[in-house]
Amino acid sequence: MTLLQTHPRSTGTKPVHRTVADAMDAAGPQVWDDMTVEVALSVMAAARTGHLVVCDEDGQYTALVTRARLAAVRNGSAYTDRVRLRDIAGGDGSFASPTTPVAEAEQAMRDRQLGALPVVDEHGNALGVLARSFFSARSR
C-alpha cells in the first residue's frame, strides 16, 4: 500500500476546472468524406484506431465514424463498394469546443451514448477527440 500525503488547500484557491482541451487526444487520422467505406476500414486498421475524423473538401470537420458503424454499413443489404463516407456519416452532429468543461462533455457523452466526442474549434477544424476511456481511467 502506498501512502499519499495531502496538503490542505488554501481557502483563497479556486478549484481548477479542466476543459476538453486539457483532456483530449490528438484527432488521429482525418479522412475526406469522398473516401469509400472499404478504404476507411483499411485506414482504421492500419492506424489501430476505432474511429476516424471525417472532413469535407475544405478540411472542415463533418463527422466522426466508428469501426462499428462502418462494419454495419458494409454488412447491410444496400452496400456496394462505391458507398462513400459522406453517404453514411450523418451521425448526431455532436462535438465539443476546446473550452467546454470536461464534466459537461462527459455528461453529453453519457446522454448520447458516445464512445468518442470530436473537439472542433470555431473555424470547424478538428483539434482532437475526447474518448470515453478518459473517464474510465480517471475514475480508477
Side-chain angles (χ1 to χ4, degrees), residues 12-49:
T13 303
K14 293 183 180 180
V16 177
H17 295 286
R18 292 188 62 191
T19 64
V20 168
D22 301 323
M24 70 181 183
D25 296 325
Q30 294 186 24
V31 298
W32 303 120
D33 61 359
D34 66 343
M35 180 178 282
T36 65
V37 169
E38 287 300 322
V39 173
L41 283 165
S42 294
V43 168
M44 209 176 276
R48 293 187 173 121
T49 186

PDB file of all heavy atoms in Angstrom, residues 12-49:
ATOM      1  N   GLY A  12      -8.284  30.583  -0.261  1.00  0.00           N
ATOM      2  CA  GLY A  12      -8.297  31.560  -1.348  1.00  0.00           C
ATOM      3  C   GLY A  12      -8.080  30.934  -2.714  1.00  0.00           C
ATOM      4  O   GLY A  12      -8.163  31.596  -3.730  1.00  0.00           O
ATOM      5  N   THR A  13      -7.809  29.648  -2.758  1.00  0.00           N
ATOM      6  CA  THR A  13      -7.534  28.975  -4.025  1.00  0.00           C
ATOM      7  C   THR A  13      -8.836  28.563  -4.682  1.00  0.00           C
ATOM      8  O   THR A  13      -9.691  27.954  -4.064  1.00  0.00           O
ATOM      9  CB  THR A  13      -6.669  27.721  -3.793  1.00  0.00           C
ATOM     10  OG1 THR A  13      -5.489  28.121  -3.133  1.00  0.00           O
ATOM     11  CG2 THR A  13      -6.334  27.060  -5.093  1.00  0.00           C
ATOM     12  N   LYS A  14      -8.960  28.894  -5.967  1.00  0.00           N
ATOM     13  CA  LYS A  14     -10.148  28.495  -6.717  1.00  0.00           C
ATOM     14  C   LYS A  14      -9.919  27.101  -7.278  1.00  0.00           C
ATOM     15  O   LYS A  14      -8.800  26.764  -7.681  1.00  0.00           O
ATOM     16  CB  LYS A  14     -10.405  29.467  -7.852  1.00  0.00           C
ATOM     17  CG  LYS A  14     -10.800  30.840  -7.371  1.00  0.00           C
ATOM     18  CD  LYS A  14     -11.109  31.729  -8.538  1.00  0.00           C
ATOM     19  CE  LYS A  14     -11.505  33.100  -8.037  1.00  0.00           C
ATOM     20  NZ  LYS A  14     -11.817  34.003  -9.126  1.00  0.00           N
ATOM     21  N   PRO A  15     -10.958  26.263  -7.333  1.00  0.00           N
ATOM     22  CA  PRO A  15     -10.789  24.943  -7.912  1.00  0.00           C
ATOM     23  C   PRO A  15     -10.466  25.045  -9.404  1.00  0.00           C
ATOM     24  O   PRO A  15     -10.927  25.968 -10.075  1.00  0.00           O
ATOM     25  CB  PRO A  15     -12.142  24.259  -7.693  1.00  0.00           C
ATOM     26  CG  PRO A  15     -13.105  25.368  -7.463  1.00  0.00           C
ATOM     27  CD  PRO A  15     -12.320  26.509  -6.902  1.00  0.00           C
ATOM     28  N   VAL A  16      -9.681  24.125  -9.886  1.00  0.00           N
ATOM     29  CA  VAL A  16      -9.321  24.109 -11.297  1.00  0.00           C
ATOM     30  C   VAL A  16     -10.432  23.408 -12.072  1.00  0.00           C
ATOM     31  O   VAL A  16     -10.820  22.300 -11.736  1.00  0.00           O
ATOM     32  CB  VAL A  16      -7.981  23.361 -11.507  1.00  0.00           C
ATOM     33  CG1 VAL A  16      -7.655  23.272 -12.979  1.00  0.00           C
ATOM     34  CG2 VAL A  16      -6.878  24.061 -10.744  1.00  0.00           C
ATOM     35  N   HIS A  17     -10.948  24.074 -13.089  1.00  0.00           N
ATOM     36  CA  HIS A  17     -11.976  23.486 -13.938  1.00  0.00           C
ATOM     37  C   HIS A  17     -11.317  23.092 -15.249  1.00  0.00           C
ATOM     38  O   HIS A  17     -10.973  23.949 -16.056  1.00  0.00           O
ATOM     39  CB  HIS A  17     -13.116  24.476 -14.184  1.00  0.00           C
ATOM     40  CG  HIS A  17     -13.860  24.809 -12.930  1.00  0.00           C
ATOM     41  ND1 HIS A  17     -14.724  23.931 -12.330  1.00  0.00           N
ATOM     42  CD2 HIS A  17     -13.865  25.910 -12.162  1.00  0.00           C
ATOM     43  CE1 HIS A  17     -15.237  24.479 -11.240  1.00  0.00           C
ATOM     44  NE2 HIS A  17     -14.720  25.683 -11.119  1.00  0.00           N
ATOM     45  N   ARG A  18     -11.135  21.801 -15.442  1.00  0.00           N
ATOM     46  CA  ARG A  18     -10.491  21.317 -16.658  1.00  0.00           C
ATOM     47  C   ARG A  18     -11.427  21.454 -17.841  1.00  0.00           C
ATOM     48  O   ARG A  18     -12.624  21.255 -17.728  1.00  0.00           O
ATOM     49  CB  ARG A  18     -10.087  19.859 -16.482  1.00  0.00           C
ATOM     50  CG  ARG A  18      -8.966  19.724 -15.466  1.00  0.00           C
ATOM     51  CD  ARG A  18      -8.429  18.347 -15.404  1.00  0.00           C
ATOM     52  NE  ARG A  18      -7.864  17.995 -16.707  1.00  0.00           N
ATOM     53  CZ  ARG A  18      -7.494  16.765 -17.026  1.00  0.00           C
ATOM     54  NH1 ARG A  18      -7.616  15.798 -16.165  1.00  0.00           N
ATOM     55  NH2 ARG A  18      -6.999  16.496 -18.205  1.00  0.00           N
ATOM     56  N   THR A  19     -10.833  21.778 -18.960  1.00  0.00           N
ATOM     57  CA  THR A  19     -11.604  21.868 -20.193  1.00  0.00           C
ATOM     58  C   THR A  19     -11.291  20.674 -21.077  1.00  0.00           C
ATOM     59  O   THR A  19     -10.335  19.926 -20.841  1.00  0.00           O
ATOM     60  CB  THR A  19     -11.276  23.160 -20.958  1.00  0.00           C
ATOM     61  OG1 THR A  19      -9.900  23.118 -21.358  1.00  0.00           O
ATOM     62  CG2 THR A  19     -11.553  24.397 -20.122  1.00  0.00           C
ATOM     63  N   VAL A  20     -12.079  20.524 -22.096  1.00  0.00           N
ATOM     64  CA  VAL A  20     -11.886  19.444 -23.053  1.00  0.00           C
ATOM     65  C   VAL A  20     -10.496  19.525 -23.676  1.00  0.00           C
ATOM     66  O   VAL A  20      -9.857  18.502 -23.916  1.00  0.00           O
ATOM     67  CB  VAL A  20     -13.002  19.496 -24.119  1.00  0.00           C
ATOM     68  CG1 VAL A  20     -12.704  18.593 -25.279  1.00  0.00           C
ATOM     69  CG2 VAL A  20     -14.342  19.143 -23.488  1.00  0.00           C
ATOM     70  N   ALA A  21      -9.989  20.730 -23.904  1.00  0.00           N
ATOM     71  CA  ALA A  21      -8.650  20.893 -24.490  1.00  0.00           C
ATOM     72  C   ALA A  21      -7.580  20.256 -23.608  1.00  0.00           C
ATOM     73  O   ALA A  21      -6.571  19.759 -24.112  1.00  0.00           O
ATOM     74  CB  ALA A  21      -8.336  22.368 -24.703  1.00  0.00           C
ATOM     75  N   ASP A  22      -7.797  20.228 -22.289  1.00  0.00           N
ATOM     76  CA  ASP A  22      -6.840  19.613 -21.367  1.00  0.00           C
ATOM     77  C   ASP A  22      -6.880  18.091 -21.414  1.00  0.00           C
ATOM     78  O   ASP A  22      -5.919  17.436 -21.031  1.00  0.00           O
ATOM     79  CB  ASP A  22      -7.136  20.040 -19.916  1.00  0.00           C
ATOM     80  CG  ASP A  22      -7.064  21.542 -19.714  1.00  0.00           C
ATOM     81  OD1 ASP A  22      -6.200  22.183 -20.344  1.00  0.00           O
ATOM     82  OD2 ASP A  22      -7.885  22.063 -18.938  1.00  0.00           O
ATOM     83  N   ALA A  23      -7.996  17.538 -21.854  1.00  0.00           N
ATOM     84  CA  ALA A  23      -8.207  16.093 -21.752  1.00  0.00           C
ATOM     85  C   ALA A  23      -8.248  15.356 -23.081  1.00  0.00           C
ATOM     86  O   ALA A  23      -8.203  14.133 -23.099  1.00  0.00           O
ATOM     87  CB  ALA A  23      -9.526  15.841 -21.010  1.00  0.00           C
ATOM     88  N   MET A  24      -8.315  16.074 -24.178  1.00  0.00           N
ATOM     89  CA  MET A  24      -8.496  15.409 -25.476  1.00  0.00           C
ATOM     90  C   MET A  24      -7.215  14.737 -25.960  1.00  0.00           C
ATOM     91  O   MET A  24      -6.112  15.096 -25.582  1.00  0.00           O
ATOM     92  CB  MET A  24      -8.970  16.411 -26.523  1.00  0.00           C
ATOM     93  CG  MET A  24      -7.923  17.415 -26.930  1.00  0.00           C
ATOM     94  SD  MET A  24      -8.587  18.556 -28.151  1.00  0.00           S
ATOM     95  CE  MET A  24      -7.117  19.514 -28.481  1.00  0.00           C
ATOM     96  N   ASP A  25      -7.425  13.742 -26.803  1.00  0.00           N
ATOM     97  CA  ASP A  25      -6.336  13.082 -27.523  1.00  0.00           C
ATOM     98  C   ASP A  25      -6.210  13.766 -28.877  1.00  0.00           C
ATOM     99  O   ASP A  25      -7.137  14.426 -29.345  1.00  0.00           O
ATOM    100  CB  ASP A  25      -6.667  11.597 -27.756  1.00  0.00           C
ATOM    101  CG  ASP A  25      -6.770  10.822 -26.456  1.00  0.00           C
ATOM    102  OD1 ASP A  25      -6.017  11.119 -25.514  1.00  0.00           O
ATOM    103  OD2 ASP A  25      -7.619   9.914 -26.382  1.00  0.00           O
ATOM    104  N   ALA A  26      -5.080  13.568 -29.519  1.00  0.00           N
ATOM    105  CA  ALA A  26      -4.915  14.091 -30.878  1.00  0.00           C
ATOM    106  C   ALA A  26      -6.042  13.554 -31.744  1.00  0.00           C
ATOM    107  O   ALA A  26      -6.573  12.466 -31.501  1.00  0.00           O
ATOM    108  CB  ALA A  26      -3.568  13.675 -31.440  1.00  0.00           C
ATOM    109  N   ALA A  27      -6.419  14.301 -32.751  1.00  0.00           N
ATOM    110  CA  ALA A  27      -7.556  13.922 -33.594  1.00  0.00           C
ATOM    111  C   ALA A  27      -7.360  12.573 -34.272  1.00  0.00           C
ATOM    112  O   ALA A  27      -8.311  11.901 -34.613  1.00  0.00           O
ATOM    113  CB  ALA A  27      -7.819  14.995 -34.644  1.00  0.00           C
ATOM    114  N   GLY A  28      -6.130  12.165 -34.458  1.00  0.00           N
ATOM    115  CA  GLY A  28      -5.894  10.899 -35.150  1.00  0.00           C
ATOM    116  C   GLY A  28      -6.106  11.071 -36.637  1.00  0.00           C
ATOM    117  O   GLY A  28      -6.115  12.187 -37.152  1.00  0.00           O
ATOM    118  N   PRO A  29      -6.305   9.972 -37.319  1.00  0.00           N
ATOM    119  CA  PRO A  29      -6.458  10.066 -38.776  1.00  0.00           C
ATOM    120  C   PRO A  29      -7.670  10.900 -39.171  1.00  0.00           C
ATOM    121  O   PRO A  29      -8.763  10.710 -38.646  1.00  0.00           O
ATOM    122  CB  PRO A  29      -6.659   8.612 -39.211  1.00  0.00           C
ATOM    123  CG  PRO A  29      -6.182   7.787 -38.087  1.00  0.00           C
ATOM    124  CD  PRO A  29      -6.365   8.596 -36.848  1.00  0.00           C
ATOM    125  N   GLN A  30      -7.434  11.835 -40.063  1.00  0.00           N
ATOM    126  CA  GLN A  30      -8.515  12.628 -40.632  1.00  0.00           C
ATOM    127  C   GLN A  30      -8.602  12.261 -42.104  1.00  0.00           C
ATOM    128  O   GLN A  30      -7.595  12.242 -42.809  1.00  0.00           O
ATOM    129  CB  GLN A  30      -8.246  14.116 -40.462  1.00  0.00           C
ATOM    130  CG  GLN A  30      -8.253  14.539 -39.012  1.00  0.00           C
ATOM    131  CD  GLN A  30      -8.133  16.040 -38.838  1.00  0.00           C
ATOM    132  OE1 GLN A  30      -8.458  16.811 -39.722  1.00  0.00           O
ATOM    133  NE2 GLN A  30      -7.677  16.446 -37.670  1.00  0.00           N
ATOM    134  N   VAL A  31      -9.799  11.935 -42.528  1.00  0.00           N
ATOM    135  CA  VAL A  31     -10.005  11.474 -43.902  1.00  0.00           C
ATOM    136  C   VAL A  31     -11.053  12.338 -44.585  1.00  0.00           C
ATOM    137  O   VAL A  31     -11.842  13.014 -43.930  1.00  0.00           O
ATOM    138  CB  VAL A  31     -10.423   9.988 -43.939  1.00  0.00           C
ATOM    139  CG1 VAL A  31      -9.321   9.103 -43.352  1.00  0.00           C
ATOM    140  CG2 VAL A  31     -11.727   9.764 -43.190  1.00  0.00           C
ATOM    141  N   TRP A  32     -11.055  12.299 -45.916  1.00  0.00           N
ATOM    142  CA  TRP A  32     -12.020  13.068 -46.701  1.00  0.00           C
ATOM    143  C   TRP A  32     -13.335  12.310 -46.779  1.00  0.00           C
ATOM    144  O   TRP A  32     -13.362  11.082 -46.784  1.00  0.00           O
ATOM    145  CB  TRP A  32     -11.486  13.340 -48.096  1.00  0.00           C
ATOM    146  CG  TRP A  32     -10.183  14.057 -48.118  1.00  0.00           C
ATOM    147  CD1 TRP A  32      -9.015  13.624 -48.658  1.00  0.00           C
ATOM    148  CD2 TRP A  32      -9.900  15.349 -47.555  1.00  0.00           C
ATOM    149  NE1 TRP A  32      -8.027  14.552 -48.460  1.00  0.00           N
ATOM    150  CE2 TRP A  32      -8.548  15.621 -47.786  1.00  0.00           C
ATOM    151  CE3 TRP A  32     -10.661  16.293 -46.864  1.00  0.00           C
ATOM    152  CZ2 TRP A  32      -7.938  16.799 -47.362  1.00  0.00           C
ATOM    153  CZ3 TRP A  32     -10.049  17.468 -46.442  1.00  0.00           C
ATOM    154  CH2 TRP A  32      -8.719  17.706 -46.710  1.00  0.00           C
ATOM    155  N   ASP A  33     -14.403  13.048 -46.915  1.00  0.00           N
ATOM    156  CA  ASP A  33     -15.723  12.429 -46.961  1.00  0.00           C
ATOM    157  C   ASP A  33     -16.012  11.689 -48.263  1.00  0.00           C
ATOM    158  O   ASP A  33     -16.998  10.967 -48.363  1.00  0.00           O
ATOM    159  CB  ASP A  33     -16.829  13.451 -46.670  1.00  0.00           C
ATOM    160  CG  ASP A  33     -16.891  14.591 -47.674  1.00  0.00           C
ATOM    161  OD1 ASP A  33     -16.081  14.644 -48.623  1.00  0.00           O
ATOM    162  OD2 ASP A  33     -17.774  15.465 -47.480  1.00  0.00           O
ATOM    163  N   ASP A  34     -15.133  11.808 -49.280  1.00  0.00           N
ATOM    164  CA  ASP A  34     -15.344  11.053 -50.514  1.00  0.00           C
ATOM    165  C   ASP A  34     -14.640   9.693 -50.490  1.00  0.00           C
ATOM    166  O   ASP A  34     -14.707   8.941 -51.455  1.00  0.00           O
ATOM    167  CB  ASP A  34     -14.924  11.864 -51.736  1.00  0.00           C
ATOM    168  CG  ASP A  34     -13.439  12.151 -51.797  1.00  0.00           C
ATOM    169  OD1 ASP A  34     -12.757  12.010 -50.757  1.00  0.00           O
ATOM    170  OD2 ASP A  34     -12.959  12.529 -52.878  1.00  0.00           O
ATOM    171  N   MET A  35     -14.021   9.354 -49.370  1.00  0.00           N
ATOM    172  CA  MET A  35     -13.368   8.059 -49.217  1.00  0.00           C
ATOM    173  C   MET A  35     -14.423   6.952 -49.129  1.00  0.00           C
ATOM    174  O   MET A  35     -15.481   7.140 -48.532  1.00  0.00           O
ATOM    175  CB  MET A  35     -12.511   8.061 -47.952  1.00  0.00           C
ATOM    176  CG  MET A  35     -11.768   6.767 -47.683  1.00  0.00           C
ATOM    177  SD  MET A  35     -10.742   6.896 -46.202  1.00  0.00           S
ATOM    178  CE  MET A  35      -9.362   7.813 -46.857  1.00  0.00           C
ATOM    179  N   THR A  36     -14.122   5.798 -49.716  1.00  0.00           N
ATOM    180  CA  THR A  36     -15.069   4.687 -49.638  1.00  0.00           C
ATOM    181  C   THR A  36     -14.985   4.012 -48.266  1.00  0.00           C
ATOM    182  O   THR A  36     -13.990   4.152 -47.543  1.00  0.00           O
ATOM    183  CB  THR A  36     -14.793   3.624 -50.721  1.00  0.00           C
ATOM    184  OG1 THR A  36     -13.521   3.034 -50.468  1.00  0.00           O
ATOM    185  CG2 THR A  36     -14.858   4.210 -52.120  1.00  0.00           C
ATOM    186  N   VAL A  37     -16.020   3.292 -47.928  1.00  0.00           N
ATOM    187  CA  VAL A  37     -16.078   2.580 -46.656  1.00  0.00           C
ATOM    188  C   VAL A  37     -14.929   1.581 -46.553  1.00  0.00           C
ATOM    189  O   VAL A  37     -14.279   1.477 -45.507  1.00  0.00           O
ATOM    190  CB  VAL A  37     -17.444   1.886 -46.492  1.00  0.00           C
ATOM    191  CG1 VAL A  37     -17.441   0.917 -45.322  1.00  0.00           C
ATOM    192  CG2 VAL A  37     -18.545   2.926 -46.325  1.00  0.00           C
ATOM    193  N   GLU A  38     -14.649   0.860 -47.627  1.00  0.00           N
ATOM    194  CA  GLU A  38     -13.570  -0.141 -47.604  1.00  0.00           C
ATOM    195  C   GLU A  38     -12.219   0.499 -47.321  1.00  0.00           C
ATOM    196  O   GLU A  38     -11.428  -0.004 -46.518  1.00  0.00           O
ATOM    197  CB  GLU A  38     -13.502  -0.912 -48.930  1.00  0.00           C
ATOM    198  CG  GLU A  38     -14.614  -1.899 -49.127  1.00  0.00           C
ATOM    199  CD  GLU A  38     -14.666  -2.981 -48.050  1.00  0.00           C
ATOM    200  OE1 GLU A  38     -13.609  -3.463 -47.590  1.00  0.00           O
ATOM    201  OE2 GLU A  38     -15.780  -3.342 -47.665  1.00  0.00           O
ATOM    202  N   VAL A  39     -11.930   1.617 -47.982  1.00  0.00           N
ATOM    203  CA  VAL A  39     -10.654   2.304 -47.759  1.00  0.00           C
ATOM    204  C   VAL A  39     -10.602   2.842 -46.332  1.00  0.00           C
ATOM    205  O   VAL A  39      -9.574   2.754 -45.653  1.00  0.00           O
ATOM    206  CB  VAL A  39     -10.427   3.416 -48.805  1.00  0.00           C
ATOM    207  CG1 VAL A  39      -9.191   4.236 -48.477  1.00  0.00           C
ATOM    208  CG2 VAL A  39     -10.317   2.812 -50.201  1.00  0.00           C
ATOM    209  N   ALA A  40     -11.711   3.381 -45.851  1.00  0.00           N
ATOM    210  CA  ALA A  40     -11.761   3.904 -44.486  1.00  0.00           C
ATOM    211  C   ALA A  40     -11.486   2.793 -43.476  1.00  0.00           C
ATOM    212  O   ALA A  40     -10.755   3.008 -42.499  1.00  0.00           O
ATOM    213  CB  ALA A  40     -13.114   4.558 -44.210  1.00  0.00           C
ATOM    214  N   LEU A  41     -12.052   1.624 -43.681  1.00  0.00           N
ATOM    215  CA  LEU A  41     -11.787   0.494 -42.781  1.00  0.00           C
ATOM    216  C   LEU A  41     -10.312   0.098 -42.821  1.00  0.00           C
ATOM    217  O   LEU A  41      -9.728  -0.222 -41.788  1.00  0.00           O
ATOM    218  CB  LEU A  41     -12.678  -0.698 -43.131  1.00  0.00           C
ATOM    219  CG  LEU A  41     -14.128  -0.582 -42.669  1.00  0.00           C
ATOM    220  CD1 LEU A  41     -15.003  -1.607 -43.368  1.00  0.00           C
ATOM    221  CD2 LEU A  41     -14.213  -0.737 -41.152  1.00  0.00           C
ATOM    222  N   SER A  42      -9.702   0.170 -43.986  1.00  0.00           N
ATOM    223  CA  SER A  42      -8.272  -0.140 -44.103  1.00  0.00           C
ATOM    224  C   SER A  42      -7.424   0.896 -43.372  1.00  0.00           C
ATOM    225  O   SER A  42      -6.466   0.543 -42.677  1.00  0.00           O
ATOM    226  CB  SER A  42      -7.853  -0.189 -45.578  1.00  0.00           C
ATOM    227  OG  SER A  42      -8.477  -1.257 -46.229  1.00  0.00           O
ATOM    228  N   VAL A  43      -7.767   2.166 -43.523  1.00  0.00           N
ATOM    229  CA  VAL A  43      -7.046   3.234 -42.817  1.00  0.00           C
ATOM    230  C   VAL A  43      -7.178   3.031 -41.317  1.00  0.00           C
ATOM    231  O   VAL A  43      -6.207   3.145 -40.560  1.00  0.00           O
ATOM    232  CB  VAL A  43      -7.570   4.630 -43.234  1.00  0.00           C
ATOM    233  CG1 VAL A  43      -7.044   5.723 -42.318  1.00  0.00           C
ATOM    234  CG2 VAL A  43      -7.210   4.919 -44.680  1.00  0.00           C
ATOM    235  N   MET A  44      -8.380   2.711 -40.875  1.00  0.00           N
ATOM    236  CA  MET A  44      -8.638   2.500 -39.455  1.00  0.00           C
ATOM    237  C   MET A  44      -7.807   1.337 -38.911  1.00  0.00           C
ATOM    238  O   MET A  44      -7.217   1.436 -37.835  1.00  0.00           O
ATOM    239  CB  MET A  44     -10.132   2.225 -39.261  1.00  0.00           C
ATOM    240  CG  MET A  44     -10.670   2.644 -37.934  1.00  0.00           C
ATOM    241  SD  MET A  44     -12.449   2.383 -37.837  1.00  0.00           S
ATOM    242  CE  MET A  44     -13.051   3.855 -38.614  1.00  0.00           C
ATOM    243  N   ALA A  45      -7.750   0.252 -39.663  1.00  0.00           N
ATOM    244  CA  ALA A  45      -6.970  -0.911 -39.237  1.00  0.00           C
ATOM    245  C   ALA A  45      -5.481  -0.572 -39.176  1.00  0.00           C
ATOM    246  O   ALA A  45      -4.795  -0.922 -38.212  1.00  0.00           O
ATOM    247  CB  ALA A  45      -7.219  -2.088 -40.182  1.00  0.00           C
ATOM    248  N   ALA A  46      -4.985   0.126 -40.193  1.00  0.00           N
ATOM    249  CA  ALA A  46      -3.569   0.487 -40.229  1.00  0.00           C
ATOM    250  C   ALA A  46      -3.202   1.428 -39.076  1.00  0.00           C
ATOM    251  O   ALA A  46      -2.117   1.329 -38.510  1.00  0.00           O
ATOM    252  CB  ALA A  46      -3.219   1.134 -41.563  1.00  0.00           C
ATOM    253  N   ALA A  47      -4.124   2.325 -38.730  1.00  0.00           N
ATOM    254  CA  ALA A  47      -3.866   3.289 -37.659  1.00  0.00           C
ATOM    255  C   ALA A  47      -4.171   2.708 -36.277  1.00  0.00           C
ATOM    256  O   ALA A  47      -3.919   3.370 -35.267  1.00  0.00           O
ATOM    257  CB  ALA A  47      -4.699   4.540 -37.886  1.00  0.00           C
ATOM    258  N   ARG A  48      -4.730   1.508 -36.258  1.00  0.00           N
ATOM    259  CA  ARG A  48      -5.119   0.858 -34.995  1.00  0.00           C
ATOM    260  C   ARG A  48      -5.989   1.778 -34.140  1.00  0.00           C
ATOM    261  O   ARG A  48      -5.707   2.034 -32.970  1.00  0.00           O
ATOM    262  CB  ARG A  48      -3.890   0.412 -34.225  1.00  0.00           C
ATOM    263  CG  ARG A  48      -3.136  -0.683 -34.915  1.00  0.00           C
ATOM    264  CD  ARG A  48      -2.024  -1.206 -34.035  1.00  0.00           C
ATOM    265  NE  ARG A  48      -1.424  -2.362 -34.663  1.00  0.00           N
ATOM    266  CZ  ARG A  48      -0.155  -2.457 -35.000  1.00  0.00           C
ATOM    267  NH1 ARG A  48       0.661  -1.459 -34.736  1.00  0.00           N
ATOM    268  NH2 ARG A  48       0.306  -3.540 -35.564  1.00  0.00           N
ATOM    269  N   THR A  49      -7.040   2.271 -34.776  1.00  0.00           N
ATOM    270  CA  THR A  49      -7.963   3.159 -34.088  1.00  0.00           C
ATOM    271  C   THR A  49      -9.392   2.678 -34.316  1.00  0.00           C
ATOM    272  O   THR A  49      -9.658   1.942 -35.269  1.00  0.00           O
ATOM    273  CB  THR A  49      -7.793   4.622 -34.575  1.00  0.00           C
ATOM    274  OG1 THR A  49      -8.603   5.469 -33.781  1.00  0.00           O
ATOM    275  CG2 THR A  49      -8.151   4.792 -36.025  1.00  0.00           C
TER     276      THR A  49
END
